[in-house]
Amino acid sequence: MDIDACIAQLTGKDAKAAYALTQQITAESRGSDTWYPYFDRFAELLRHKNSLVRNRAISILAANAHWDTDSKFDALLDEFLSHVTDSKPITARQCIAALPEITAVKPELLPRIRFALEQADLSGYPDSMRPLVLKDIVAALQKMDSTEP
């Protein structure tokens, strides 16, 4: 499948197929740099209006951080971290959960990531979601602390 077909499937209406492709790309990206050449194409999906598409991009980009010899992730970090307080709490939770994977391979980003988590304004979330997002932040920080060099 070419990258244009992949992007079309990741942004298409078939959520089940998009989820399966995301899982496949994420798993493959954890084992090889096959998908890294398309990093910029996946990064564009962070701006998609559909939160499910943003979720997919977050997973794929985090898995590709390992292969980031061009510091593309470093340049994208502020935009990526903006999803810590995404308008959709599920996307925020997805982003927060991905951060320890990123700091494990890019420890130089830890101070900026830690700052974003510690300063996250959760007041825009419903009372039912705020504790869950906060719990995710605490868990991510603890995971990052346990893998700190």
Side-chain angles (χ1 to χ4, degrees), residues 48-96:
H48 201 277
K49 65 181 189 279
N50 184 322
S51 64
L52 293 177
V53 175
R54 294 193 304 272
N55 291 354
R56 296 171 194 140
I58 287 166
S59 294
I60 293 169
L61 290 168
N64 275 282
H66 180 76
W67 313 108
D68 184 27
T69 54
D70 304 325
S71 298
K72 290 181 178 190
F73 204 97
D74 306 48
L76 180 70
L77 187 61
D78 289 338
E79 183 177 352
F80 193 92
L81 290 174
S82 73
H83 296 288
V84 165
T85 55
D86 192 276
S87 61
K88 298 291 186 181
I90 192 70
T91 302
R93 297 185 77 199
Q94 181 84 24
C95 178
I96 293 162

